[in-house]
Amino acid sequence: MAFDISKMRNIGISAHIDSGKTTTSERILFYCNKIHAIHEVRGKDGVGAVMDNMELERERGITIQSAATQVQWKDYTINLIDTPGHVDFTVEVERSLRVLDGAIMILCAVAGVQSQSITVDRQLKRYHVPRVAFVNKCDRQGANPLRVRMQLREKLGLNAYMMELPIGLEDKLEGVVDLVAMKAIYFDGPNGEDLRIAEIPEALKSDAEKYREELLDAASMFDDSLMEEIMENGYEGVSEEKLIAAIRKGTISEQFVGVFCGSAHVNKGIQPLLDAVARYLPAPNEVENVALDLDNNEKEVKLESLDNKPCVALAFKLDDGQYGQLTYTRVYQGKIKKGEELFNTRTKKKFKVGRLVRMNSAQMEDISEGCAGDIVALFGVDCASGDTFVNGGVNYSMASMYVPEPVISLSIKPKDKNSEMQMSKALNRFVKEDPTFRVYTDPESGETIIKGMGELHLEVYVERMKREYNCEVVTGAPQVAYRESITTQGDFNYTHKKQSGGSGQYGRVAGFMEPISEKDYEFVDAIKGGAIPNEFIPSCDKGFQKAMKEGSLIGAPIVGVKMTINDGQSHPVDSNDNAFQIAAIGAFREGYLKAKPVILEPVMKVQMTAPTEFQGNLFGLINQRRGVIVDSTDENNTSTVNAEVPLSEMFGFSTILRSSTQGKGEFTMEFEKYGKVPNAIADELIAKHKAEKEAGKK
């Protein structure tokens, strides 16, 4: 049977932590006959969710790595990727979105749009991923899908419309009203697997008509013939097919978001959501994907989802498991066949496709080929995340994904000799798998330093070393990634002169530095009359950039500086590249001290939720940590506080929050910006840096 690409969907499930992503994935697997029993995320049966196949994920009840699986729904093939909601694992979300064609955005019916829903929305928009929204947990006390729909409009600016209405809410949730077919759907059977279609209950008829009219008005903006039909026959006489086609058009163009509702936990609303994926989200050949032609000045080339074209595929995730390295790959064009040769355009090396598999979470199934639009996994390929594989003589690269800079570091050392070798193996693997996890050796102390996106991120890697590599490590106190910057203009006029037998070194560099906010560094050449010869201008630029690697206050990298050179002097014999680089370093240091340097620290966006009775405690915790409260809301006896707090004040915060809220408080945090450190703390940091330097000299 020929493979029909129009019946394929590559979708992801993304949302704020604890919105029920993994629970929803589990139900999808069940209704698509992929699994025969439903397991919960924190399963009392000790099994845990299928998509959380790491022991750590099951214990903590969170998703750490994105998992991939393929299911059949009716005559559609769906590649499903369950992504983490926790912001420390944001790169897992980024790499998944990079290869998806559509997404289900899950929101909690009680909490609505939360801080990480905003982050997820930003990521979906960055990669132009069309989405449908699913308001989950409609069975919980305080559930209100209509309020969540308003938040999607107000907080995220989405053109969101109800596609379904709940029949009953909280513990009275019975089913949903389908506003397209104007029918009620009930979910019978022990696991909601038997769909019963019935007439809309009398009490909901007027609401259903009101929201259907809203939906028709919104959909008609994408289809003129639908608009004409409404004008001629009124809202009653609209054909279902026409309405579905208009909503699909609006969804794929990212100008419309259909809102579905239900509760995965009590098995209500998942099958209509799968129908929505098939109906409204795009097939691989309906999404525009471009590659960069490396043989033609990186000119953009539009890829076609056709099997008879040269193969172009992207390795978007690496997983070093018990059978060796597994490379998750999205095929954009052409086919990947077992036994064929592919070319890695980054390493410029050819390799043979040995074993080709399709992943169903941790289970795998051997296949002989992967078609255009498919997501498959290759075994034993030496590559990095983000590499492009091609054949057929093309030399393309897929644009790489956005990787945020790590903001926290930790020193680690093995407990004993046996752990030393294992630690190095583990770190090599983790660095390959996760671009936001970095490892380096501190040149002064000789310690091994790991850097990541947050405390939980590093904690998980330390825990994985212990479990997967039997490697015990001792961790030092977490360190914050400080930066230095300037606050005013500083002039410089520096001469580097060195004379010692034979040719000497000479270079004079003059100009000024000033603060900029939109980028880390800018170089302006304002030299007139050849005061510095053209060939030495890049040397000045290089020297400035070298000087910015280490500030004079606490040795942190310098950011937000615009360097302008407008005068200088050279010597016909003694001037060279090196002389001007040294002169630029000296000039930078001279100007830096005049430009009133300051220390900057990472400031985190923190969202805390707890029962309203603890709101005062939440405010107190923020104020004790030099935090600024941005806003706070009270809904359904739950208080949500958004604040900006320096990262250095947030270590060990989860324990403190729990003890202040009788274990009922939760928080999430993500990097927001760099902010100025108060003078008293800056003085402490400078004194500490000075003491460390002195100790290092002894």
Side-chain angles (χ1 to χ4, degrees), residues 334-398:
K335 277 183 176 183
I336 288 184
K337 285 185 182 168
K338 197 173 162 180
E340 267 194 348
E341 264 196 350
L342 288 178
F343 178 71
N344 183 331
T345 57
R346 181 187 62 87
T347 61
K348 307 277 181 279
K349 285 181 182 167
K350 283 186 175 178
F351 64 91
K352 197 168 188 176
V353 179
R355 193 174 165 202
L356 192 63
V357 295
R358 176 160 288 124
M359 295 304 291
N360 298 316
S361 190
Q363 266 77 49
M364 57 185 78
E365 156 201 350
D366 280 280
I367 53 173
S368 57
E369 62 177 32
C371 305
D374 212 346
I375 291 175
V376 294
L378 308 173
F379 254 115
V381 177
D382 185 26
C383 65
S385 202
D387 283 0
T388 307
F389 304 145
V390 296
N391 70 10
V394 295
N395 188 15
Y396 294 166
S397 169
M398 300 294 294

Side-chain angles (χ1 to χ4, degrees), residues 167 174-176 184-188 194-201:
I167 302 173
E174 291 177 46
V176 295
I185 304 172
Y186 296 95
F187 305 89
D188 298 337
D194 301 325
L195 262 60
R196 175 163 54 89
I197 311 292
E199 290 305 311
I200 298 169

Side-chain angles (χ1 to χ4, degrees), residues 439-479:
V439 179
Y440 70 97
T441 306
D442 187 314
E444 282 180 18
S445 65
E447 288 182 313
T448 301
I449 310 286
I450 55 174
K451 292 173 90 170
M453 300 306 296
E455 252 184 312
L456 179 68
H457 192 205
L458 297 183
E459 251 176 54
V460 162
Y461 278 120
V462 168
E463 187 66 23
R464 282 182 66 188
M465 277 187 233
K466 191 170 147 188
R467 292 184 186 208
E468 296 171 30
Y469 287 88
N470 200 14
C471 160
E472 294 272 356
V473 295
V474 181
T475 57
Q479 298 293 315

Side-chain angles (χ1 to χ4, degrees), residues 57 134 194 205 343 368 548 601 686:
E57 295 183 307
F134 179 63
D194 301 325
K205 271 197 171 151
F343 178 71
S368 57
M548 285 179 70
E601 63 183 344
I686 292 166

Side-chain angles (χ1 to χ4, degrees), residues 11-49:
I11 64 156
I13 295 188
S14 46
H16 183 90
I17 189 168
D18 241 2
S19 299
K21 294 184 304 300
T22 302
T23 309
T24 306
S25 303
E26 202 69 7
R27 300 309 185 269
I28 289 174
L29 295 183
F30 177 74
Y31 296 127
C32 294
N33 297 322
K34 204 78 189 176
I35 55 174
H36 304 296
I38 292 171
H39 299 290
E40 299 311 325
V41 175
R42 289 184 177 89
K44 291 186 176 64
D45 54 11
V47 178

Side-chain angles (χ1 to χ4, degrees), residues 482 484 549-557 689 693:
Y482 289 105
E484 293 184 26
K549 285 188 174 137
E550 199 177 306
S552 54
L553 300 180
I554 58 166
H689 176 66
K693 266 188 119 169

Side-chain angles (χ1 to χ4, degrees), residues 112 134 367 424 606 684:
F134 179 63
I367 53 173
S424 126
V606 177
E684 276 174 37

